Structure formats: structure tokens, C-alpha cells
Amino acid sequence: MHTLLKSAIGLAALSLSLQASALNILLTNDDGCRAPGIDAVYQALVAAGHQVTLVGPQNDSSGIGAASVVNPGQALAVTQLAQGKYCVGAPTGYTPPAGKNSAIGTPVDAVNVGLDLLLKDNRPDLVVSGTNFGDNVGPLTQMSGTVNAAVRAMFKGVPAVAVSTGIDLHLISQDPQAGYLKTLNAMDDTARFAAKVIERAAAIGAEARRVCDTSGGKAKAQCATNVLGLPGTTGLNINYPALEAGQVTGVAFAPIGDWGNVAFAPQQGADGVIRVNLVPPPTPTDEQMQADAYQLSLGNAVITVIDGNMTASPLLQAQAKLILGDLTP
């Protein structure tokens, strides 16, 4: 059995008796620094005993993906809402350069400000992003500001957890207000579930560090384990359904798939205007049914392991070298 897997099994056996210490957490999102979702998670993490610094975008940045400031010298406005709570946005009067799209005060900008400035001398153990209004599963993860804020943190060497609360798409299309309230009402349960996940994972991570320290650094698998009990800076993407706690089916562990209930497609109307519209998703295949979006549609809370490293496995790197190795510039 793989050494890391054996270590994980051994640590999991101890998890019920472990208690993790309080973590230093940077909390962000993409719905905005004042959004109800980030407040729900803030309250849940503080109630669990963690030290939390909130650094979110000034405005709603949903669907903005990994966009961030790329112009050297670009000013950012960082305002303090309260002790330990900050908003990151564009300076007053900012207008984009002529002929250029630009994003100022994005979720990635908030993570950068949090890690490189506000918490530079008190580096967090973990970054948490969310909870988002709407699920981030399947193809939505690529465009998600929530998920990409977590990915940015992992690129910068800090493990991260993205958290999202699902939408009842049928209800919100029929009755927007009722659909909005259904997701809103599930945010506290989402936040508590996320805090529970972090507590359990952090207990495993703490035990791994103890084993590493006891071994004098010789227990390589444990020494490579992060605060979530996972390798390196690996993190989690958590999606919770828009249901009352008693209606949630269970917890599913599923990969990100290429199918989702929410599907966008550009379409040209009779007036000649091209619009991006919601379109019915195709019938999922058996493989797609095992992935995150379908499992969420069954009423499960879904946990997916994610990694900020976009590089493929060493095996695939070697395969590419065999295919392309004789090329010259």
C-alpha cells in the first residue's frame, strides 16, 4: 500500500479523538465583503475558535474567475469595515484604460492583499473562500471567483477551502424571491458544515505534524502533510445543497466533472444579437453521475479535493516528452 495512503488511514482512525488547535484563517469570497455568505462563514469559524481576518472584494465579482490587477502601479482601495475586516476595490473615480477591459478589486486581488500585505507578518494557516451564493461544481469551477481565490492561495503556498451554497434552479426561475431565500436560508448550515470539515481535517493535520516532529523529520509523508491533513498545499472545494439540514442526503466525495445543471451557451437571436443564455444540460453519462455536479443535484453535500498546481502528473509529462522530445525551435 502507498505510504501516504497508509498514513492517511492511520490518522483517520484517530480522528474522532483528536482536537485541532485554533487556526489563523484568511477569509475571502467573490460575492463581496458585505455579502451574507461570507458573514455566515465568519461567524461559524469564529464560533469554532479560529482567528479570522476577512478580506473580500468591495463589489460582487461573481464569475470573474482568476482575474486580477495586471497593470504595474495600479492603485487599490483597501477600506476597513471593522476590526479584522477589509474590503478591496478600485480607487474612487477609477475608469478602465480606453479600449481595454480590466478587473480591479477581484477575489484574487483580495487574496493577494491579504497574504502579501495585511497578514504578511502573521501568515495564515488556511484560506477559506465563501460561502458563495450558488454552487461551484463542474464547468462553473473554471469561471468561479470563489474557487479561483482558493486556487490563488494554493499557488502562493497556503492550503485553501472554497465553500459554496447551491441554488434551486427550478424554483429560482419560477419564483426568484423564493429561490433567493432558499439559498440564503441554507448558508448558515453551509457555514457550519464547512467549519466541521475544517475542524476534522485540521485535527488530522495537527496529528501529522506531531508525528513529523516526534520523528525528527523522518516521517516524510506526515512532514509533507498540510494543516488539512492533505499533501502540500492541496485544498478542498465544498458545495452544500440549498436544502434544510434534515433534507441533505449525505456527504459525497466526487471529482470535478464536465457536466452541470447550469449550462451557458452563446446564441444568436432573431434580432441578430448574440446573447449568452442558460440552456438545458444534456443527460449525464454514468461517469458524469459520479462527479460533483450530479452528486450535488441528488441532495448531497459534496467535497472535492483541488490543487493549485495546474501541471499534469510526472507520468504525463514524460509521455509528452516522448511524443515531442525531438522537436527543435
Side-chain angles (χ1 to χ4, degrees):
M1 185 181 292
H2 193 280
T3 303
L4 184 58
L5 180 57
K6 287 195 294 185
S7 301
I9 292 173
L11 290 173
L14 298 173
S15 63
L16 292 177
S17 63
L18 294 174
Q19 288 191 350
S21 57
L23 300 178
N24 179 19
I25 296 176
L26 170 61
L27 176 62
T28 192
N29 71 343
D30 77 357
D31 287 337
C33 55
R34 299 174 177 83
I38 197 170
D39 182 64
V41 175
Y42 181 90
Q43 299 299 333
L45 293 176
V46 169
H50 302 297
Q51 176 183 329
V52 184
T53 303
L54 186 158
V55 187
Q58 176 75 34
N59 300 314
D60 188 345
S61 299
S62 297
I64 206 164
S68 66
V69 168
V70 293
N71 293 329
Q74 172 61 55
L76 284 169
V78 180
T79 56
Q80 187 169 7
L81 286 175
Q83 183 67 34
K85 293 184 177 182
Y86 302 87
C87 301
V88 178
T92 302
Y94 171 79
T95 55
K100 181 176 181 177
N101 290 328
S102 62
I104 308 293
T106 68
V108 168
D109 289 335
V111 169
N112 289 339
V113 168
L115 293 181
D116 298 340
L117 182 64
L118 298 175
L119 294 176
K120 180 180 179 181
D121 298 322
N122 185 25
R123 194 163 179 81
D125 304 302
L126 181 69
V127 170
V128 178
S129 181
T131 182
N132 186 63
F133 188 96
D135 43 278
N136 280 304
V137 289
L140 292 176
T141 56
Q142 186 180 32
M143 64 184 74
S144 166
T146 301
V147 174
N148 277 287
V151 170
R152 179 61 176 170
M154 290 187 283
F155 263 117
K156 295 178 79 68
V158 182
V161 176
V163 186
S164 302
T165 307
I167 289 176
D168 185 329
L169 194 59
H170 176 73
L171 177 61
I172 208 166
S173 64
Q174 300 295 318
D175 186 340
Q177 183 63 19
Y180 172 83
L181 289 175
K182 189 172 185 181
T183 294
L184 190 67
N185 290 337
M187 284 183 167
D188 284 340
D189 287 334
T190 303
R192 283 190 287 268
F193 178 72
K196 186 186 300 185
V197 170
I198 291 168
E199 180 181 17
R200 173 67 65 87
I204 299 298
E207 175 63 11
R209 290 193 296 277
R210 187 194 67 77
V211 172
C212 174
D213 292 342
T214 301
S215 73
K218 294 180 181 179
K220 293 183 179 179
Q222 286 83 357
C223 293
T225 299
N226 66 31
V227 71
L228 295 173
L230 296 169
T233 56
T234 308
L236 300 172
N237 185 29
I238 299 173
N239 283 273
Y240 196 89
L243 297 170
E244 295 182 8
Q247 298 175 318
V248 178
T249 305
V251 178
F253 297 86
I256 295 172
D258 59 0
W259 180 90
N261 272 326
V262 180
F264 293 96
Q267 297 176 330
Q268 188 168 25
D271 57 2
V273 176
I274 297 175
R275 298 177 174 86
V276 177
N277 293 318
L278 276 174
V279 296
T283 301
T285 65
D286 289 343
E287 182 179 359
Q288 289 169 333
M289 288 181 182
Q290 305 307 312
D292 54 353
Y294 190 80
Q295 289 299 312
L296 184 68
S297 75
L298 296 179
N300 290 311
V302 181
I303 299 175
T304 302
V305 179
I306 57 175
D307 191 344
N309 184 358
M310 295 182 180
T311 304
S313 69
L315 180 62
L316 292 178
Q317 298 291 337
Q319 182 178 345
K321 186 175 181 179
L322 285 174
I323 296 170
L324 305 172
D326 60 348
L327 290 177
T328 57

